[in-house]
């Protein structure tokens, strides 16, 4: 067995070395082709010692390499692009923040279109749960940095652009230094704090911004700070703060891991980001910019898309108005605190240690044989959404989705408890314990507090606790075969 593992490891190392060598050769070929082109152009301009026939050939100066004409020809014959637009793409420098579900398709189409320099910012590594939507990554790259995985694919797709890897999460103290060398920024991230940081930095450095988001079956797209006028200039395009002056409550922000995402939905939004980026780069400067809009995709609605016109810059915007309080110094120094501004929902601090039990502690108190050290029969409430409950659940558990709990009131008239409380818990004087479980151990804490507020702990006589770490910890401590979705 050890010999087989060593052989596999050796083969993987050889493949990695070969891929690195191939990437190096491609870069050398690209440099050589450009050097040959520059040399030919210089000889053509000098024209010394040339016959008339030679001069006819040398005067015919083509701005692109022959291979580039073949590669980009189909898009160059589109009237809105043309040779002029292709040359703009080749000289453009685009930064993509996030190499995930949005960044991958955006990068594919920008690299394919011939953007001259493409930078990617991401500090995460590839996970198998990414692969259904993050189309640049492969199963063999699980555990590899996303930017390296992405750039490896992009170089195979198109060796002409220059690819720059920023192997870290975007931080306020470094954002301006990362942005300064690029012409256009794409926000392909998934959390509010980073979105505000990206928008603020783009405005302060005069960079147009293409921003998108996606969750479950819906997506949103905006082109911001376009045109990128100086701070205080009312003719400039609105920024992210103009559209969303206040962030959403922290406890309402849902990630793809918690809320889910359909691959084609986030892929569509990433492709549209690439399209908008190409439009911004190749725009005719003599024409007025397109009025800003918020484009919304709803995959299960008819029509699929709708657009909402956006207002111009807000007169009291904190970053792009004449009354701005955010500047590069406040961003770099941290005095503009994005985490504080967006709030931090820290569910780990909601309950005291005695209000939580680990899966192992629960199993010791209530073994699967049916006996119980507490002498009482527990009630297990699973607060995941029904679609998750249907994937896998504990026997005899009760499903009460947290969305139902948070959306309901305490009832009306003489009803003391809301309708979602099970009858066996709402009536009688039972003190049998109540356990609450969710996927990650976050929502369960909210529900424990809610149950206690409703008095279901019988003034401390009944144990109401959550399963710490949820089903993620259940899988680690109790059942390794529990589905890891």
């Amino acid at each position: 067995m050890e010999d087989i593992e060593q052989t596999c490891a050796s083969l993987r190392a050889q493949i990695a070395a070969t891929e690195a060598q191939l990437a190096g050769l491609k870069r050398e070929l690209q440099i050589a082709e450009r050097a040959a082109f520059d040399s030919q152009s210089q000889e053509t301009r000098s024209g010394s010692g040339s016959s008339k026939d030679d001069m006819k050939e040398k005067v015919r100066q083509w701005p692109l390499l022959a291979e580039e004409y073949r590669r980009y020809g189909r898009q160059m014959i589109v009237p809105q692009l043309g040779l002029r637009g292709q040359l703009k793409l080749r000289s453009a420098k685009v930064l993509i923040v996030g190499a995930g579900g949005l960044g991958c398709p955006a990068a594919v189409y920008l690299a394919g279109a011939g953007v001259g320099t493409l930078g990617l910012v991401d500090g995460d590594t590839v996970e198998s749960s990414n692969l259904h939507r993050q189309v640049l990554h492969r199963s063999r790259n699980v555990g590899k940095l996303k930017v390296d995985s992405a750039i490896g694919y992009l170089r195979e797709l198109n060796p002409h652009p220059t690819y720059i890897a920023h192997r870290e999460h975007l931080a306020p103290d470094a954002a301006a230094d990362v942005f300064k060398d690029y012409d256009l920024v794409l926000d392909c991230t998934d959390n509010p704090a980073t979105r505000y940081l990206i928008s603020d930095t783009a405005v302060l450095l005069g960079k147009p911004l293409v921003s998108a988001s996606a969750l479950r079956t819906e997506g949103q797209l905006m082109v911001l700070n376009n045109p990128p006028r100086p701070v205080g200039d009312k003719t400039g395009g609105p920024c992210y703060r103009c559209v969303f002056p206040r962030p959403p409550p922290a406890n309402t922000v849902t990630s793809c891991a918690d809320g889910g995402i359909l691959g084609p939905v986030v892929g569509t939004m990433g492709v549209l980001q690439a399209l908008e980026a190409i439009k911004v780069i190749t725009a005719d400067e003599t024409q007025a910019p397109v009025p800003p809009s918020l484009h919304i995709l709803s995959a299960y609605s008819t029509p699929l898309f709708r657009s909402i016109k956006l207002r111009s810059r807000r007169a009291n915007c904190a970053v792009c108005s004449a009354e701005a309080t955010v500047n590069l110094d406040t961003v770099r120094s941290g005095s503009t605190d994005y985490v504080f501004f967006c709030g931090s929902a820290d569910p780990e601090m909601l309950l005291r240690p005695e209000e939580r039990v680990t899966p192992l502690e629960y199993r010791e108190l209530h073994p699967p044989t049916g006996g119980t050290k507490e002498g009482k029969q527990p009630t297990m409430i699973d607060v995941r959404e029904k679609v998750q409950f249907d994937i896998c659940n504990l026997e005899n558990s009760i499903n009460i989705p947290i969305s139902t709990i948070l959306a309901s009131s305490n009832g009306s008239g003489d009803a003391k408890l809301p309708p979602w409380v099970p009858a066996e818990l709402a009536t009688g004087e039972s003190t049998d314990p109540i356990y609450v479980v969710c996927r990650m151990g976050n929502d369960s804490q909210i529900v424990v507090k809610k149950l206690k507020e409703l008095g279901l702990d019988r003034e401390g006589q009944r144990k109401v606790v959550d399963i710490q770490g949820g089903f993620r910890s259940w899988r680690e401590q109790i059942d390794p075969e529990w589905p890891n979705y």
Side-chain angles (χ1 to χ4, degrees):
M1 185 64 181
E2 292 182 1
D3 292 341
I4 296 175
E5 292 178 350
Q6 290 177 357
T7 300
C8 291
S10 175
L11 289 172
R12 291 192 192 98
Q14 292 179 48
I15 291 171
T18 303
E19 289 178 342
Q21 183 180 12
L22 178 60
L25 290 172
K26 288 180 177 179
R27 288 194 296 273
E28 291 177 10
L29 174 61
Q30 180 182 354
I31 294 171
E33 287 177 337
R34 291 192 181 279
F37 171 73
D38 293 341
S39 176
Q40 182 180 1
S41 299
Q42 185 175 0
E43 289 176 2
T44 300
R45 286 192 297 269
S46 63
S48 58
S50 300
S51 65
K52 291 184 179 180
D53 291 338
D54 290 339
M55 283 298 294
K56 289 180 181 178
E57 291 296 323
K58 290 182 179 179
V59 166
R60 202 175 167 188
Q61 300 181 36
W62 308 118
L64 298 175
L65 300 174
E67 201 278 329
E68 290 179 299
Y69 282 102
R70 290 191 297 270
R71 181 180 290 267
Y72 308 128
R74 296 297 187 273
Q75 69 185 32
M76 288 168 58
I77 61 177
V78 174
Q80 290 87 341
L81 193 74
L83 176 62
R84 177 191 59 83
Q86 190 61 51
L87 293 174
K88 285 187 174 183
L89 287 172
R90 191 172 74 165
S91 63
K93 298 180 180 180
V94 178
L95 179 69
I96 298 176
V97 185
L102 293 167
C104 284
V108 165
Y109 280 97
L110 290 177
V115 168
T117 300
L118 201 58
L120 279 82
V121 181
D122 204 310
D124 287 338
T125 56
V126 179
E127 300 177 2
S128 58
S129 62
N130 303 147
L131 300 179
H132 84 284
R133 65 193 185 281
Q134 300 181 14
V135 294
L136 288 181
H137 310 310
R138 298 292 179 267
S139 296
R140 67 173 180 268
N141 287 343
V142 170
K144 190 174 183 179
L145 282 170
K146 286 185 177 181
V147 290
D148 293 334
S149 171
I151 289 175
Y153 181 102
L154 295 173
R155 282 203 178 106
E156 291 185 16
L157 173 69
N158 189 353
H160 292 288
T162 298
Y163 300 103
I164 301 175
H166 301 274
R167 301 177 179 89
E168 65 275 324
H169 295 295
L170 191 68
D173 60 344
D177 292 332
V178 174
F179 281 31
K180 63 182 176 62
D181 294 326
Y182 294 92
D183 307 313
L184 174 68
V185 179
L186 272 64
D187 179 355
C188 300
T189 61
D190 62 359
N191 69 87
T194 306
R195 290 189 180 282
Y196 283 102
L197 168 61
I198 292 171
S199 176
D200 291 354
T201 307
V203 168
L204 296 171
L205 293 178
K207 316 289 184 182
L209 172 65
V210 183
S211 177
S213 62
L215 183 67
R216 298 188 180 100
T217 62
E218 298 186 346
Q220 296 184 354
L221 172 74
M222 298 179 289
V223 179
L224 302 170
N225 197 41
N226 185 46
R229 301 285 188 249
V231 171
D233 189 334
K234 296 179 180 180
T235 64
C239 70
Y240 195 78
R241 286 183 187 266
C242 293
V243 182
F244 303 109
R246 293 185 181 84
N251 59 5
T252 67
V253 176
T254 305
S255 67
C256 290
D258 292 329
I261 181 69
L262 285 184
V265 171
V266 69
T268 297
M269 304 316 296
V271 170
L272 289 176
Q273 281 186 279
L275 174 61
E276 293 298 331
I278 291 172
K279 288 163 62 178
V280 171
I281 293 168
T282 62
D284 187 344
E285 295 84 353
T286 62
Q287 297 181 355
V290 177
S293 297
L294 170 63
H295 305 287
I296 301 173
L297 164 67
S298 297
Y300 284 85
S301 298
T302 302
L304 287 174
F305 286 94
R306 58 192 177 96
S307 297
I308 301 172
K309 289 185 178 180
L310 298 177
R311 296 179 178 179
S312 57
R313 289 182 169 181
R314 296 176 68 94
N316 60 346
C317 178
V319 69
C320 69
S321 72
E323 302 176 8
T325 57
V326 176
N327 55 53
L328 287 178
D329 289 336
T330 66
V331 172
R332 284 196 179 101
S333 66
S335 55
T336 299
D337 191 329
Y338 293 95
V339 174
F340 177 79
F341 175 67
C342 294
S344 177
D346 189 359
E348 294 296 330
M349 303 300 292
L350 289 180
L351 298 180
R352 301 187 303 274
E354 59 268 23
E355 295 177 292
R356 316 195 73 188
V357 298
T358 66
L360 278 177
E361 291 170 339
Y362 172 83
R363 181 54 77 211
E364 290 175 0
L365 292 170
H366 307 285
T369 55
T372 171
K373 291 184 178 180
E374 292 183 326
K376 300 178 180 180
Q377 294 302 317
T379 297
M380 178 68 75
I381 299 177
D382 187 331
V383 297
R384 294 175 299 160
E385 297 302 315
K386 184 179 183 301
V387 66
Q388 296 188 46
F389 184 81
D390 290 343
I391 293 173
C392 53
N393 58 76
L394 296 175
E395 187 178 359
N396 297 324
S397 60
I398 302 171
N399 182 218
I400 309 176
I402 189 170
S403 59
T404 300
I405 295 173
L406 296 179
S408 68
S409 64
N410 283 7
S412 59
D414 296 331
K416 181 180 179 181
L417 297 175
W420 54 262
V421 176
E424 59 269 30
L425 300 182
T427 60
E429 297 297 328
S430 172
T431 58
D432 287 350
I434 299 174
Y435 295 88
V436 183
V437 67
C438 66
R439 186 182 178 194
M440 308 290 283
N442 298 333
D443 293 341
S444 56
Q445 297 184 66
I446 297 172
V447 175
V448 165
K449 290 183 69 68
K450 182 68 174 177
L451 293 175
K452 290 190 172 184
E453 290 172 0
L454 294 172
L456 293 177
D457 64 340
R458 311 285 191 221
E459 297 183 349
Q461 297 181 38
R462 168 187 271 173
K463 178 196 291 186
V464 181
V465 296
D466 90 314
I467 303 297
Q468 186 171 353
F471 284 118
R472 177 183 58 183
S473 295
W474 187 274
R475 184 176 186 275
E476 295 171 353
Q477 300 178 19
I478 303 296
D479 184 4
E481 296 184 0
W482 187 268
N484 183 22
Y485 61 91

